[in-house]
């Protein structure tokens, strides 16, 4: 077997054993772009080898998405398959694992009318809510594993022939997910230990806020009351440890929905539903983004922010050192799973219950400062020019990062 095939096998193995930590007899519900069919078959083989009882896959198809967005009647764009997402939510609550194969053409929807894309996305977010809730509540084990989609490869390596671009992207994926290491499972155990140490440090300090300072950024992000830092392997409600993201480099927590002040500039482009949003700038007052601009793709971003009130508030703040394996590839991936893990980031929209002590819901969640929204969109603000301090309530500060690197 050549090195490429071996690494692909190791990645599939990682997704099932470390990402999902699949239990014997468990069902798996996979979602994937149709181009990933060979990789999905490898994943299903590994899943069955590790005791899966039933592997169900739902494929998405960019060609059909484009047909709909250009041909469907205006009112038709308000529809979404709610029945499907309710069924998925039911399956997750009854114990099915969720395996998402990510990687798509960031230009899949290029040239289509942004207001039609935005309208369809809003309906989609609304219908997907039951499934998203089950996922964010960790009622079951889930993971996202990357696939080198040809359209994605073209975006990352615009100068190369497609076949070579795909090969290079797989290599970057193997590097970022540690699938190219001798024993990736052991490498992930060590990586998880390091992330859990940072989490323990931050949770012991109980900072009131974080202060980000860099070019174009001077932002104070208040942290929710009883916030909890998380990172790496995460326990489900039933106590099973899964790794939701392959790769992952972040430690993250819940901001306070009403205590974010200042200005912030994106350090990397954001791929949003097939459109690239570049040069995001936001100004926050009392937690609300009163001003948001982007140099490119502003219309799609604006649509997303119009989803609901919580879409203009923060639901996540994450610290990622600038010297990690993803950043070291030197690539811009045009994909949130990679780019968010290459840099410190914040997210507009829904906060995670797991980031608040006791995982409160409803009124208790809001009272502690947890943000609610139908959307959750990470965007990258960290770089080798970013300093981060932890702030106590009395104003005392502790340096956490200098020039993008941990100093604790
Ligand atoms: Zn994150
Ligand atoms: Zn996020």
């Amino acid at each position: 077997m050549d090195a490429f095939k071996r690494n692909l096998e190791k990645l599939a193995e990682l997704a099932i054993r470390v990402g999902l930590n699949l239990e014997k007899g468990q069902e798996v519900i996979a979602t994937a772009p149709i181009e990933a069919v060979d990789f999905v078959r490898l994943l299903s083989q590994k899943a069955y080898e590790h005791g899966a009882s039933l592997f169900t896959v739902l494929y998405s198809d960019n060609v059909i998405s484009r047909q709909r967005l250009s041909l469907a009647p205006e009112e038709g764009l308000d529809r979404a398959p709610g029945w499907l997402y309710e069924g998925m939510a039911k399956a997750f609550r009854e114990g099915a694992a969720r395996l998402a194969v990510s990687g798509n053409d960031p230009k899949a929807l290029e040239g289509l009318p942004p207001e039609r894309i935005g309208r369809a996305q809003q309906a989609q977010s609304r219908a997907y809510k039951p499934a998203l809730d089950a996922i964010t509540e960790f009622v079951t084990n889930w993971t996202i594993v990357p696939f080198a989609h040809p359209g994605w490869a073209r975006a990352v390596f615009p100068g190369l022939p497609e076949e070579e671009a795909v090969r290079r992207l797989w290599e970057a994926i193997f590097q970022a997910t540690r699938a190219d290491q001798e024993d990736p499972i052991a490498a992930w155990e060590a990586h998880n230990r390091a992330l859990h140490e940072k989490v323990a440090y931050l949770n012991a300090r109980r900072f009131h806020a974080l202060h980000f300072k860099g070019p174009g950024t001077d932002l104070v992000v208040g942290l929710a009351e009883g916030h909890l830092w998380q990172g790496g392997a995460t326990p489900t409600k039933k106590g099973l440890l899964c790794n939701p993201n392959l790769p992952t480099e972040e430690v993250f927590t819940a901001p306070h929905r009403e205590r974010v002040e200042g200005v912030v500039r994106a350090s990397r482009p954001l791929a949003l539903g097939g459109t690239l949003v570049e040069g995001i700038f936001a100004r926050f007052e009392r937690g609300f983004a009163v001003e948001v601009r982007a140099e490119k793709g502003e219309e799609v971003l604006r649509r997303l922010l119009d989803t609901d009130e919580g879409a203009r508030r923060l639901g996540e703040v994450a610290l990622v050192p600038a010297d990690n394996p993803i950043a070291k590839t030197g690539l811009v991936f045009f994909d949130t799973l990679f780019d968010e893990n290459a840099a410190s980031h914040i997210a507009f929209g829904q906060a995670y219950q797991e980031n608040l002590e006791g995982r409160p819901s409803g009124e208790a969640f809001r009272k502690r400062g947890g943000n609610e929204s139908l959307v959750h969109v990470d965007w990258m603000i960290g770089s080798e020019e970013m300093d981060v301090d932890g702030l106590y309530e009395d104003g005392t500060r502790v340096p956490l990062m200098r020039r993008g690197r941990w100093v604790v």
Side-chain angles (χ1 to χ4, degrees), residues 207-282:
F207 290 119
H208 187 63
L210 299 180
H211 185 195
F212 290 86
K213 210 157 185 334
T217 294
D218 189 351
L219 184 73
V220 174
V221 179
L223 301 179
E225 287 167 43
H227 67 272
L228 272 183
W229 286 88
Q230 303 274 355
T234 306
T236 66
K237 276 195 169 162
K238 291 177 196 145
L240 191 71
L241 270 185
C242 64
N243 279 271
N245 291 339
L246 302 177
T248 187
E249 299 294 331
E250 62 173 345
V251 294
F252 61 100
T253 195
H256 192 292
R257 64 190 300 280
E258 289 170 353
R259 292 202 293 106
V260 182
E261 303 281 342
V263 293
V264 56
R265 215 171 262 290
S267 58
R268 289 175 160 247
L270 167 69
L272 202 59
T275 306
L276 280 185
V277 183
E278 294 180 65
I280 305 173
F281 165 86

